[in-house]
mmCIF file with all atom_site columns, all heavy atoms in Angstrom:
data_model
loop_
_atom_site.group_PDB
_atom_site.id
_atom_site.type_symbol
_atom_site.label_atom_id
_atom_site.label_alt_id
_atom_site.label_comp_id
_atom_site.label_asym_id
_atom_site.label_entity_id
_atom_site.label_seq_id
_atom_site.pdbx_PDB_ins_code
_atom_site.Cartn_x
_atom_site.Cartn_y
_atom_site.Cartn_z
_atom_site.occupancy
_atom_site.B_iso_or_equiv
_atom_site.pdbx_formal_charge
_atom_site.auth_seq_id
_atom_site.auth_comp_id
_atom_site.auth_asym_id
_atom_site.auth_atom_id
_atom_site.pdbx_PDB_model_num
ATOM   1   N N   . ALA A 1 122 ? -11.404 11.607 26.493 1.00 95.00 ? 134 ALA A N   1
ATOM   2   C CA  . ALA A 1 122 ? -11.913 12.116 25.212 1.00 95.00 ? 134 ALA A CA  1
ATOM   3   C C   . ALA A 1 122 ? -11.531 11.128 24.108 1.00 95.00 ? 134 ALA A C   1
ATOM   4   O O   . ALA A 1 122 ? -10.593 10.344 24.259 1.00 95.00 ? 134 ALA A O   1
ATOM   5   C CB  . ALA A 1 122 ? -11.362 13.502 24.909 1.00 95.00 ? 134 ALA A CB  1
ATOM   6   N N   . PHE A 1 123 ? -12.256 11.182 22.984 1.00 97.00 ? 135 PHE A N   1
ATOM   7   C CA  . PHE A 1 123 ? -12.071 10.166 21.939 1.00 97.00 ? 135 PHE A CA  1
ATOM   8   C C   . PHE A 1 123 ? -10.680 10.218 21.317 1.00 97.00 ? 135 PHE A C   1
ATOM   9   O O   . PHE A 1 123 ? -10.243 9.261  20.676 1.00 97.00 ? 135 PHE A O   1
ATOM   10  C CB  . PHE A 1 123 ? -13.138 10.312 20.843 1.00 97.00 ? 135 PHE A CB  1
ATOM   11  C CG  . PHE A 1 123 ? -12.774 11.269 19.743 1.00 97.00 ? 135 PHE A CG  1
ATOM   12  C CD1 . PHE A 1 123 ? -12.247 10.805 18.548 1.00 97.00 ? 135 PHE A CD1 1
ATOM   13  C CD2 . PHE A 1 123 ? -12.942 12.635 19.908 1.00 97.00 ? 135 PHE A CD2 1
ATOM   14  C CE1 . PHE A 1 123 ? -11.892 11.680 17.529 1.00 97.00 ? 135 PHE A CE1 1
ATOM   15  C CE2 . PHE A 1 123 ? -12.584 13.510 18.903 1.00 97.00 ? 135 PHE A CE2 1
ATOM   16  C CZ  . PHE A 1 123 ? -12.059 13.039 17.713 1.00 97.00 ? 135 PHE A CZ  1
ATOM   17  N N   . LYS A 1 124 ? -9.962  11.339 21.502 1.00 96.00 ? 136 LYS A N   1
ATOM   18  C CA  . LYS A 1 124 ? -8.642  11.441 20.871 1.00 96.00 ? 136 LYS A CA  1
ATOM   19  C C   . LYS A 1 124 ? -7.681  10.361 21.368 1.00 96.00 ? 136 LYS A C   1
ATOM   20  O O   . LYS A 1 124 ? -6.739  10.002 20.676 1.00 96.00 ? 136 LYS A O   1
ATOM   21  C CB  . LYS A 1 124 ? -8.066  12.834 21.072 1.00 96.00 ? 136 LYS A CB  1
ATOM   22  C CG  . LYS A 1 124 ? -8.883  13.871 20.299 1.00 96.00 ? 136 LYS A CG  1
ATOM   23  C CD  . LYS A 1 124 ? -8.185  15.191 20.148 1.00 96.00 ? 136 LYS A CD  1
ATOM   24  C CE  . LYS A 1 124 ? -8.941  16.094 19.188 1.00 96.00 ? 136 LYS A CE  1
ATOM   25  N NZ  . LYS A 1 124 ? -10.284 16.479 19.671 1.00 96.00 ? 136 LYS A NZ  1
ATOM   26  N N   . ASP A 1 155 ? -7.812  19.320 24.859 1.00 82.00 ? 167 ASP A N   1
ATOM   27  C CA  . ASP A 1 155 ? -7.905  17.882 24.586 1.00 82.00 ? 167 ASP A CA  1
ATOM   28  C C   . ASP A 1 155 ? -6.717  17.256 23.862 1.00 82.00 ? 167 ASP A C   1
ATOM   29  O O   . ASP A 1 155 ? -6.246  16.187 24.237 1.00 82.00 ? 167 ASP A O   1
ATOM   30  C CB  . ASP A 1 155 ? -9.163  17.595 23.764 1.00 82.00 ? 167 ASP A CB  1
ATOM   31  C CG  . ASP A 1 155 ? -10.423 17.741 24.591 1.00 82.00 ? 167 ASP A CG  1
ATOM   32  O OD1 . ASP A 1 155 ? -10.296 17.869 25.827 1.00 82.00 ? 167 ASP A OD1 1
ATOM   33  O OD2 . ASP A 1 155 ? -11.510 17.737 24.009 1.00 82.00 ? 167 ASP A OD2 1
ATOM   34  N N   . PRO A 1 266 ? -19.934 14.597 16.270 1.00 98.00 ? 278 PRO A N   1
ATOM   35  C CA  . PRO A 1 266 ? -19.604 15.979 16.664 1.00 98.00 ? 278 PRO A CA  1
ATOM   36  C C   . PRO A 1 266 ? -18.282 16.366 16.009 1.00 98.00 ? 278 PRO A C   1
ATOM   37  O O   . PRO A 1 266 ? -17.271 15.703 16.234 1.00 98.00 ? 278 PRO A O   1
ATOM   38  C CB  . PRO A 1 266 ? -19.441 15.882 18.191 1.00 98.00 ? 278 PRO A CB  1
ATOM   39  C CG  . PRO A 1 266 ? -20.164 14.619 18.587 1.00 98.00 ? 278 PRO A CG  1
ATOM   40  C CD  . PRO A 1 266 ? -19.994 13.687 17.421 1.00 98.00 ? 278 PRO A CD  1
ATOM   41  N N   . SER A 1 267 ? -18.285 17.405 15.171 1.00 97.00 ? 279 SER A N   1
ATOM   42  C CA  . SER A 1 267 ? -17.137 17.625 14.286 1.00 97.00 ? 279 SER A CA  1
ATOM   43  C C   . SER A 1 267 ? -16.511 19.001 14.432 1.00 97.00 ? 279 SER A C   1
ATOM   44  O O   . SER A 1 267 ? -17.186 19.990 14.693 1.00 97.00 ? 279 SER A O   1
ATOM   45  C CB  . SER A 1 267 ? -17.559 17.438 12.823 1.00 97.00 ? 279 SER A CB  1
ATOM   46  O OG  . SER A 1 267 ? -17.902 16.087 12.586 1.00 97.00 ? 279 SER A OG  1
ATOM   47  N N   . GLY A 1 268 ? -15.196 19.036 14.229 1.00 93.00 ? 280 GLY A N   1
ATOM   48  C CA  . GLY A 1 268 ? -14.433 20.275 14.208 1.00 93.00 ? 280 GLY A CA  1
ATOM   49  C C   . GLY A 1 268 ? -13.526 20.259 13.003 1.00 93.00 ? 280 GLY A C   1
ATOM   50  O O   . GLY A 1 268 ? -13.855 20.772 11.932 1.00 93.00 ? 280 GLY A O   1
ATOM   51  N N   . ASN A 1 269 ? -12.390 19.589 13.135 1.00 92.00 ? 281 ASN A N   1
ATOM   52  C CA  . ASN A 1 269 ? -11.407 19.524 12.051 1.00 92.00 ? 281 ASN A CA  1
ATOM   53  C C   . ASN A 1 269 ? -11.697 18.438 11.014 1.00 92.00 ? 281 ASN A C   1
ATOM   54  O O   . ASN A 1 269 ? -10.875 18.180 10.142 1.00 92.00 ? 281 ASN A O   1
ATOM   55  C CB  . ASN A 1 269 ? -10.009 19.333 12.626 1.00 92.00 ? 281 ASN A CB  1
ATOM   56  C CG  . ASN A 1 269 ? -9.359  20.662 12.936 1.00 92.00 ? 281 ASN A CG  1
ATOM   57  O OD1 . ASN A 1 269 ? -9.524  21.620 12.180 1.00 92.00 ? 281 ASN A OD1 1
ATOM   58  N ND2 . ASN A 1 269 ? -8.647  20.750 14.038 1.00 92.00 ? 281 ASN A ND2 1
ATOM   59  N N   . PHE A 1 270 ? -12.825 17.762 11.112 1.00 96.00 ? 282 PHE A N   1
ATOM   60  C CA  . PHE A 1 270 ? -13.239 16.760 10.130 1.00 96.00 ? 282 PHE A CA  1
ATOM   61  C C   . PHE A 1 270 ? -12.361 15.510 10.181 1.00 96.00 ? 282 PHE A C   1
ATOM   62  O O   . PHE A 1 270 ? -12.379 14.695 9.273  1.00 96.00 ? 282 PHE A O   1
ATOM   63  C CB  . PHE A 1 270 ? -13.194 17.362 8.703  1.00 96.00 ? 282 PHE A CB  1
ATOM   64  C CG  . PHE A 1 270 ? -14.108 16.672 7.713  1.00 96.00 ? 282 PHE A CG  1
ATOM   65  C CD1 . PHE A 1 270 ? -15.468 16.875 7.733  1.00 96.00 ? 282 PHE A CD1 1
ATOM   66  C CD2 . PHE A 1 270 ? -13.584 15.829 6.741  1.00 96.00 ? 282 PHE A CD2 1
ATOM   67  C CE1 . PHE A 1 270 ? -16.300 16.242 6.811  1.00 96.00 ? 282 PHE A CE1 1
ATOM   68  C CE2 . PHE A 1 270 ? -14.412 15.188 5.803  1.00 96.00 ? 282 PHE A CE2 1
ATOM   69  C CZ  . PHE A 1 270 ? -15.774 15.409 5.849  1.00 96.00 ? 282 PHE A CZ  1
ATOM   70  N N   . GLY A 1 271 ? -11.615 15.307 11.289 1.00 95.00 ? 283 GLY A N   1
ATOM   71  C CA  . GLY A 1 271 ? -10.773 14.132 11.390 1.00 95.00 ? 283 GLY A CA  1
ATOM   72  C C   . GLY A 1 271 ? -11.594 12.894 11.717 1.00 95.00 ? 283 GLY A C   1
ATOM   73  O O   . GLY A 1 271 ? -11.471 11.844 11.062 1.00 95.00 ? 283 GLY A O   1
ATOM   74  N N   . ASN A 1 272 ? -12.443 13.025 12.717 1.00 97.00 ? 284 ASN A N   1
ATOM   75  C CA  . ASN A 1 272 ? -13.253 11.901 13.162 1.00 97.00 ? 284 ASN A CA  1
ATOM   76  C C   . ASN A 1 272 ? -14.167 11.409 12.039 1.00 97.00 ? 284 ASN A C   1
ATOM   77  O O   . ASN A 1 272 ? -14.139 10.227 11.657 1.00 97.00 ? 284 ASN A O   1
ATOM   78  C CB  . ASN A 1 272 ? -14.061 12.369 14.386 1.00 97.00 ? 284 ASN A CB  1
ATOM   79  C CG  . ASN A 1 272 ? -14.651 11.228 15.172 1.00 97.00 ? 284 ASN A CG  1
ATOM   80  O OD1 . ASN A 1 272 ? -14.638 10.086 14.738 1.00 97.00 ? 284 ASN A OD1 1
ATOM   81  N ND2 . ASN A 1 272 ? -15.188 11.522 16.337 1.00 97.00 ? 284 ASN A ND2 1
ATOM   82  N N   . ILE A 1 273 ? -14.944 12.305 11.452 1.00 98.00 ? 285 ILE A N   1
ATOM   83  C CA  . ILE A 1 273 ? -15.913 11.859 10.439 1.00 98.00 ? 285 ILE A CA  1
ATOM   84  C C   . ILE A 1 273 ? -15.218 11.463 9.135  1.00 98.00 ? 285 ILE A C   1
ATOM   85  O O   . ILE A 1 273 ? -15.751 10.648 8.358  1.00 98.00 ? 285 ILE A O   1
ATOM   86  C CB  . ILE A 1 273 ? -17.022 12.906 10.205 1.00 98.00 ? 285 ILE A CB  1
ATOM   87  C CG1 . ILE A 1 273 ? -18.237 12.240 9.544  1.00 98.00 ? 285 ILE A CG1 1
ATOM   88  C CG2 . ILE A 1 273 ? -16.504 14.095 9.396  1.00 98.00 ? 285 ILE A CG2 1
ATOM   89  C CD1 . ILE A 1 273 ? -19.532 12.932 9.727  1.00 98.00 ? 285 ILE A CD1 1
ATOM   90  N N   . SER A 1 323 ? -13.836 22.109 21.845 1.00 91.00 ? 335 SER A N   1
ATOM   91  C CA  . SER A 1 323 ? -12.980 21.312 20.970 1.00 91.00 ? 335 SER A CA  1
ATOM   92  C C   . SER A 1 323 ? -13.502 21.288 19.536 1.00 91.00 ? 335 SER A C   1
ATOM   93  O O   . SER A 1 323 ? -12.897 20.678 18.658 1.00 91.00 ? 335 SER A O   1
ATOM   94  C CB  . SER A 1 323 ? -12.841 19.887 21.513 1.00 91.00 ? 335 SER A CB  1
ATOM   95  O OG  . SER A 1 323 ? -12.313 19.946 22.815 1.00 91.00 ? 335 SER A OG  1
ATOM   96  N N   . MET A 1 324 ? -14.642 21.927 19.303 1.00 92.00 ? 336 MET A N   1
ATOM   97  C CA  . MET A 1 324 ? -15.186 22.046 17.946 1.00 92.00 ? 336 MET A CA  1
ATOM   98  C C   . MET A 1 324 ? -15.132 23.491 17.460 1.00 92.00 ? 336 MET A C   1
ATOM   99  O O   . MET A 1 324 ? -15.733 23.818 16.435 1.00 92.00 ? 336 MET A O   1
ATOM   100 C CB  . MET A 1 324 ? -16.632 21.524 17.918 1.00 92.00 ? 336 MET A CB  1
ATOM   101 C CG  . MET A 1 324 ? -16.708 20.019 18.147 1.00 92.00 ? 336 MET A CG  1
ATOM   102 S SD  . MET A 1 324 ? -18.281 19.459 18.814 1.00 92.00 ? 336 MET A SD  1
ATOM   103 C CE  . MET A 1 324 ? -19.409 19.951 17.528 1.00 92.00 ? 336 MET A CE  1
ATOM   104 N N   . ASP A 1 407 ? -21.591 14.827 27.707 1.00 97.00 ? 419 ASP A N   1
ATOM   105 C CA  . ASP A 1 407 ? -20.807 16.067 27.661 1.00 97.00 ? 419 ASP A CA  1
ATOM   106 C C   . ASP A 1 407 ? -21.371 16.998 26.587 1.00 97.00 ? 419 ASP A C   1
ATOM   107 O O   . ASP A 1 407 ? -22.262 16.621 25.816 1.00 97.00 ? 419 ASP A O   1
ATOM   108 C CB  . ASP A 1 407 ? -19.323 15.744 27.413 1.00 97.00 ? 419 ASP A CB  1
ATOM   109 C CG  . ASP A 1 407 ? -18.921 16.003 25.974 1.00 97.00 ? 419 ASP A CG  1
ATOM   110 O OD1 . ASP A 1 407 ? -19.385 15.226 25.108 1.00 97.00 ? 419 ASP A OD1 1
ATOM   111 O OD2 . ASP A 1 407 ? -18.212 16.974 25.706 1.00 97.00 ? 419 ASP A OD2 1
ATOM   112 N N   . HIS A 1 409 ? -20.066 18.288 23.770 1.00 97.00 ? 421 HIS A N   1
ATOM   113 C CA  . HIS A 1 409 ? -19.841 17.945 22.362 1.00 97.00 ? 421 HIS A CA  1
ATOM   114 C C   . HIS A 1 409 ? -20.782 16.827 21.926 1.00 97.00 ? 421 HIS A C   1
ATOM   115 O O   . HIS A 1 409 ? -21.368 16.860 20.844 1.00 97.00 ? 421 HIS A O   1
ATOM   116 C CB  . HIS A 1 409 ? -18.388 17.508 22.143 1.00 97.00 ? 421 HIS A CB  1
ATOM   117 C CG  . HIS A 1 409 ? -17.388 18.498 22.659 1.00 97.00 ? 421 HIS A CG  1
ATOM   118 N ND1 . HIS A 1 409 ? -17.133 18.631 23.997 1.00 97.00 ? 421 HIS A ND1 1
ATOM   119 C CD2 . HIS A 1 409 ? -16.622 19.408 22.028 1.00 97.00 ? 421 HIS A CD2 1
ATOM   120 C CE1 . HIS A 1 409 ? -16.222 19.591 24.164 1.00 97.00 ? 421 HIS A CE1 1
ATOM   121 N NE2 . HIS A 1 409 ? -15.898 20.072 22.993 1.00 97.00 ? 421 HIS A NE2 1
ATOM   122 N N   . THR A 1 432 ? -17.768 11.920 22.190 1.00 97.00 ? 444 THR A N   1
ATOM   123 C CA  . THR A 1 432 ? -16.383 12.361 21.993 1.00 97.00 ? 444 THR A CA  1
ATOM   124 C C   . THR A 1 432 ? -15.680 12.785 23.278 1.00 97.00 ? 444 THR A C   1
ATOM   125 O O   . THR A 1 432 ? -14.474 12.995 23.263 1.00 97.00 ? 444 THR A O   1
ATOM   126 C CB  . THR A 1 432 ? -16.292 13.485 20.941 1.00 97.00 ? 444 THR A CB  1
ATOM   127 O OG1 . THR A 1 432 ? -17.166 14.540 21.317 1.00 97.00 ? 444 THR A OG1 1
ATOM   128 C CG2 . THR A 1 432 ? -16.668 12.970 19.560 1.00 97.00 ? 444 THR A CG2 1
ATOM   129 N N   . ALA A 1 433 ? -16.408 12.950 24.378 1.00 96.00 ? 445 ALA A N   1
ATOM   130 C CA  . ALA A 1 433 ? -15.755 13.231 25.670 1.00 96.00 ? 445 ALA A CA  1
ATOM   131 C C   . ALA A 1 433 ? -16.684 12.823 26.790 1.00 96.00 ? 445 ALA A C   1
ATOM   132 O O   . ALA A 1 433 ? -17.897 12.681 26.585 1.00 96.00 ? 445 ALA A O   1
ATOM   133 C CB  . ALA A 1 433 ? -15.403 14.705 25.802 1.00 96.00 ? 445 ALA A CB  1
ATOM   134 N N   . PHE A 1 438 ? -16.002 18.773 31.112 1.00 92.00 ? 450 PHE A N   1
ATOM   135 C CA  . PHE A 1 438 ? -16.644 20.069 30.827 1.00 92.00 ? 450 PHE A CA  1
ATOM   136 C C   . PHE A 1 438 ? -17.698 20.350 31.891 1.00 92.00 ? 450 PHE A C   1
ATOM   137 O O   . PHE A 1 438 ? -18.847 20.672 31.600 1.00 92.00 ? 450 PHE A O   1
ATOM   138 C CB  . PHE A 1 438 ? -17.216 20.062 29.400 1.00 92.00 ? 450 PHE A CB  1
ATOM   139 C CG  . PHE A 1 438 ? -16.133 19.820 28.388 1.00 92.00 ? 450 PHE A CG  1
ATOM   140 C CD1 . PHE A 1 438 ? -15.892 18.534 27.884 1.00 92.00 ? 450 PHE A CD1 1
ATOM   141 C CD2 . PHE A 1 438 ? -15.275 20.838 28.008 1.00 92.00 ? 450 PHE A CD2 1
ATOM   142 C CE1 . PHE A 1 438 ? -14.853 18.293 26.999 1.00 92.00 ? 450 PHE A CE1 1
ATOM   143 C CE2 . PHE A 1 438 ? -14.225 20.604 27.118 1.00 92.00 ? 450 PHE A CE2 1
ATOM   144 C CZ  . PHE A 1 438 ? -14.008 19.338 26.614 1.00 92.00 ? 450 PHE A CZ  1
HETATM 145 C C1  . LIG B 2 .   ? -11.319 16.948 18.857 1.00 51.23 ? 3   LIG B C1  1
HETATM 146 C C2  . LIG B 2 .   ? -12.716 16.872 19.370 1.00 51.23 ? 3   LIG B C2  1
HETATM 147 C C3  . LIG B 2 .   ? -13.836 16.969 18.514 1.00 51.23 ? 3   LIG B C3  1
HETATM 148 C C4  . LIG B 2 .   ? -13.716 17.263 17.031 1.00 51.23 ? 3   LIG B C4  1
HETATM 149 O O1  . LIG B 2 .   ? -13.140 16.205 16.311 1.00 51.23 ? 3   LIG B O1  1
HETATM 150 P P1  . LIG B 2 .   ? -12.568 16.427 14.817 1.00 51.23 ? 3   LIG B P1  1
HETATM 151 O O2  . LIG B 2 .   ? -11.841 15.209 14.487 1.00 51.23 ? 3   LIG B O2  1
HETATM 152 O O3  . LIG B 2 .   ? -11.665 17.642 14.918 1.00 51.23 ? 3   LIG B O3  1
HETATM 153 O O4  . LIG B 2 .   ? -13.732 16.697 13.933 1.00 51.23 ? 3   LIG B O4  1
HETATM 154 C C5  . LIG B 2 .   ? -15.103 16.816 19.060 1.00 51.23 ? 3   LIG B C5  1
HETATM 155 N N1  . LIG B 2 .   ? -15.277 16.609 20.381 1.00 51.23 ? 3   LIG B N1  1
HETATM 156 C C6  . LIG B 2 .   ? -14.229 16.518 21.244 1.00 51.23 ? 3   LIG B C6  1
HETATM 157 C C7  . LIG B 2 .   ? -14.498 16.308 22.693 1.00 51.23 ? 3   LIG B C7  1
HETATM 158 C C8  . LIG B 2 .   ? -12.913 16.640 20.776 1.00 51.23 ? 3   LIG B C8  1
HETATM 159 O O5  . LIG B 2 .   ? -11.883 16.554 21.641 1.00 51.23 ? 3   LIG B O5  1
#
Side-chain angles (χ1 to χ4, degrees):
F135 88 98
K136 293 195 171 65
D167 288 350
S279 293
N281 272 322
F282 204 75
N284 196 350
I285 200 157
S335 302
M336 292 155 61
D419 102 290
H421 307 75
T444 54
F450 301 96

